[in-house]
Amino acid sequence: MAELYPVSEEWARRARVDSAGYDRLYGRSIADPGSFWLEQAKRLDWIKRPEIAGDWSFDEEDFHIRWFGDGKLNVAANCIDRHLTKRGNETAIIWEPDEPSEEARRYTYRELHAEVCRFANVLKAQGVAKGDRVTIYLPMIPEAAFALLACARIGAVHSVVFGGFSPEALSGRITDCDSKVVITADEGRRGGKRVPLKANVDAAAAHAPAMETVIVVKATGGDVTMQAGRDVWYHEAAAQVPAECPPEPMGAEDPLFILYTSGSTGKPKGVLHTSGGYLLWASLTHELVFDYRPGQVYWCAADIGWVTGHSYIVYGPLANGATTVMFEGVPTWPDASRIWQVVDRHQVEILYTAPTALRALMREGDQYVTATSRTSLKLLGTVGEPINPEAWRWYHDVVGGGRCPIVDTWWQTETGGHLITPLPGATALKPGSATLPFPGVDPQIVDAEGQVLHGAAEGNLVIARSWPGQMRSVWGDHERFFQTYFTTYRGKYFTGDGCRRDEDGYYWITGRVDDVINVSGHRMGTAEVESALVLHPKVAEAAVVGMPHDVKGQGIYAYVTLNAGVEPSDDLRNALRDWVRREIGPIATPDALQFAPGLPKTRSGKIMRRILRKIAEGDVSNLGDISTLADPGVVQHLVDTREGRG
Ligand code: 6R9
């Protein structure tokens, strides 16, 4: 039986929600969602308060999802302006630079207001208007937060592209949402290394004809080429505009942002989130899951390029008037003490990070942790992938000194914020379980035929009703939205995750059941890596699967069939790994690449990934039924030449 960590008496007493409180909230949210959500909506500042909560149907004939559809608000005003009278002089953002010897920078809510207004005016001066898409390709500098909020202020739709993505990946995303303006920096810094962001934008330009203007933030002072008529220095443009910009009134269902994410097939999808429901979800979950109290220093150590950075560095915390830490660097540089030093330096009380970072730090040894104080810490959080109980216990015992509850938050780019998660004053914890649904969330476990399984059960995780933070569409392809998420199990949102529910009703996410690999908490579609590989002139065919990886959770294992006459070699293997890195970005680099004269296929030509996964895992004793293969002989050959065998 799994260990149980009960809620401490102090947490039960002090927290916003205790166990009875959770039962009440959850019960009301399911029994009477209309009045429950209108009540919750009061936490936002509305220009026009909504009178309708959810209005949705997951059925094909009448498919639609709307929340607070008659409400009007501005997201940036909710994150900044409404705090000015009470907390104008309190710190909104603490920015911790890559280089530890440099001073951290702090912005009060009043300063944030001025920065965001100025940025918004620069965008307006460049012709950006309500509804226009703006691509943001920035490192983790304060301007990244300013840029998001500036878009929200004028009603432009931001699309953040992670700074680790290649020019090819960037141009695809600029083109897909037709953004005329791109915001970047001269260079980024991470772990003492420079990332040539502006040069990447220049390289992307050839394949991004929509791009007309590039706004360049001077971050490092590194050399860049400015193209006259297209490129604008941010600091020069900002000097010419006022620090006041009225917030644009937006419908609750007006788009707030697009964020591209990998699915099992095709190109990355532009996940679309709208204004009212998303902000409500980000803000409510941030307050209840982290039990956030005014004045606390809160740090989510994600990158703004991922949804975690959107919801839990920027929108959720700032909507709640929090002090949010933005960290430019990486956990392991200059050494494995960095995270804990930053915790001490800024007296961080709430820390939110990913299992992959914890595993990487754990293997460096406890001394990097115990050399620091960490007495400020009260609560720890994790996100991105299932956390193995060993890493959970290390986080709890060594990092948190046994004092801090851990909230293991399960959610997705598509869900906008946490869906299955403990509440620290309410939920007894089990290492490795995301525990129980947040109020309003109706999870079900279904079998392959869609039968709902009750009680303790294992199967696929679906969500049976809409919640305010749910994505609203795939940018430019509403049909794909419906097809991807609502056709596997009719009338339900399919998460793509496998899941077990135990006898206490706790949920245990078992990982993706589709062709998505979770590398260090980042989603990679196998199809994306395969199409990058087959672009190479020497490659005939490629199949990519996930494999277990000690630190990354999952690694990428590629099987490659070469064109006739091309000889496999170590040089070619390295060249192909580099090729993928250049096509997509470093996170997509295959960890193992095996040359395969043939791939196991059914007679109808379908690649049998089940078998490739087993070989990649090294689990070759039980390959199951291979009798349907067109040529069973290829399997033995793959087993004999497996990468990293022995
Ligand atoms: C927020 C985020 C979503 C996928 C999701 C699942 C995995 C995220 C998890 C978790 C187990 C957790 N995942 N959190 N699995 N426990 N606490 O990560 O969004 O990048 O879209 O990934 O990540 O497999 O389906 P995203």
Side-chain angles (χ1 to χ4, degrees), residues 259-262 271 306-309 312 352 355 382-387 407-418 420-421 432-434 461 493 495-498 507-514 516-518 521-524 554:
L259 187 56
Y260 286 87
T261 192
S262 299
V271 167
W306 312 112
V307 72
T308 307
Y312 298 110
Y352 190 33
T382 141
V383 57
E385 54 176 315
I387 181 164
V407 289
D408 175 353
T409 61
W410 174 83
W411 60 294
Q412 310 178 299
T413 306
E414 293 88 339
T415 71
H418 309 144
I420 300 182
T421 175
S433 171
L461 180 65
Y493 168 78
T495 63
D497 278 319
Y507 290 82
W508 300 74
I509 306 296
T510 53
R512 301 289 303 196
V513 294
D514 54 10
V516 171
I517 315 179
N518 192 327
H522 303 313
R523 277 164 67 168
M524 272 327 305
Q554 276 190 304

